[in-house]
Amino acid sequence: MLAVRSLSSSSIRKSIPRRSTAAQSCCRLVHVEKRLEELGITLPPAPGPKANYNIICHTSGNMMYISGHLPVRADGSMLTGRIGPSSGGQTLEHGYDAARQAGLNIVSTLKKQLGDLDRVKQVVKVFGIVQSAEDFKEQHKVMDGCSDLIMEVFENPVGYHARSAIGTNTLPLDISVEVEAIVELKDE
């Protein structure tokens, strides 16, 4: 099953006033770390790889490709289990929380890699894989956990992204969700 949520960039551009280049070059207009503080969000430690690869993200030009992130809490525990309460699995709310935690870990990785979250020009795309029971058909609602977090942290228009969500019968380490992202960076 493939549930796709596409956010049209043309509709975003029509509804958002443009900032002048002079204003952008003279000062910061948004400070993401301050926004995290206002929201009461403490970032967990940036996660490391859980298998035989050492690239948690790769940058090419001004695009950063972020490898799949797991729902690992700050204490190292993970949100696990298949989503699908009618089949004895975890609840939709558990899945939402897992996707949100994976999103927090993505933001932590961005902070560690970039040093300054204001270097994010645009969250371009988020792709989520949800460990689901066969009869569970709401993967898109699970992935709202990550999308809602991205929008809270980066706000509109920076956090507004395209998204795909799919279900699968299993994920590594029995995690409930795995999320990857593509982010456009500002020129240094």
Side-chain angles (χ1 to χ4, degrees):
M1 177 182 160
L2 176 63
V4 178
R5 178 180 177 202
S6 177
L7 307 173
S8 167
S9 62
S10 61
S11 64
I12 296 169
R13 288 190 180 107
K14 289 177 189 170
S15 64
I16 299 167
R18 289 294 193 193
R19 297 180 186 136
S20 71
T21 306
Q24 287 176 328
S25 63
C26 79
C27 57
R28 280 189 169 158
L29 300 176
V30 176
H31 192 66
V32 178
E33 283 87 358
K34 178 75 171 158
R35 179 90 177 125
L36 286 168
E37 187 179 308
E38 290 169 0
L39 292 168
I41 295 174
T42 303
L43 293 176
K50 298 288 186 209
N52 189 18
Y53 63 97
N54 63 3
I55 298 177
I56 201 80
C57 57
H58 177 76
T59 303
S60 178
N62 65 342
M63 301 300 286
M64 180 177 279
Y65 301 86
I66 302 167
S67 296
H69 276 55
L70 313 183
V72 180
R73 296 183 184 112
D75 66 4
S77 65
M78 292 187 278
L79 290 147
T80 60
R82 184 173 292 162
I83 310 301
S86 65
S87 298
Q90 299 285 358
T91 64
L92 172 64
E93 292 76 18
H94 173 88
Y96 181 97
D97 291 343
R100 184 175 177 88
Q101 186 64 51
L104 277 171
N105 291 333
I106 287 171
V107 175
S108 291
T109 293
L110 286 167
K111 173 71 176 155
K112 182 177 180 180
Q113 295 295 315
L114 301 174
D116 181 359
L117 291 171
D118 286 320
R119 287 198 51 216
V120 174
K121 181 176 181 179
Q122 182 69 55
V123 178
V124 177
K125 180 159 185 185
V126 171
F127 175 68
I129 308 164
V130 180
Q131 183 185 181
S132 310
E134 188 174 327
D135 62 345
F136 184 75
K137 310 295 183 203
E138 296 184 299
Q139 290 81 3
H140 59 295
K141 291 182 180 177
V142 167
M143 283 305 301
D144 282 347
C146 182
S147 291
D148 291 350
L149 174 84
I150 299 273
M151 287 300 296
E152 287 172 26
V153 171
F154 292 103
E155 299 186 298
N156 193 1
V158 175
Y160 209 49
H161 55 276
R163 186 184 83 188
S164 298
I166 64 168
T168 186
N169 64 334
T170 188
L171 281 170
L173 305 173
D174 193 34
I175 55 171
S176 297
V177 176
E178 183 170 347
V179 182
E180 59 185 53
I182 301 171
V183 174
E184 182 181 6
L185 306 176
K186 293 176 185 171
D187 295 330
E188 288 190 76

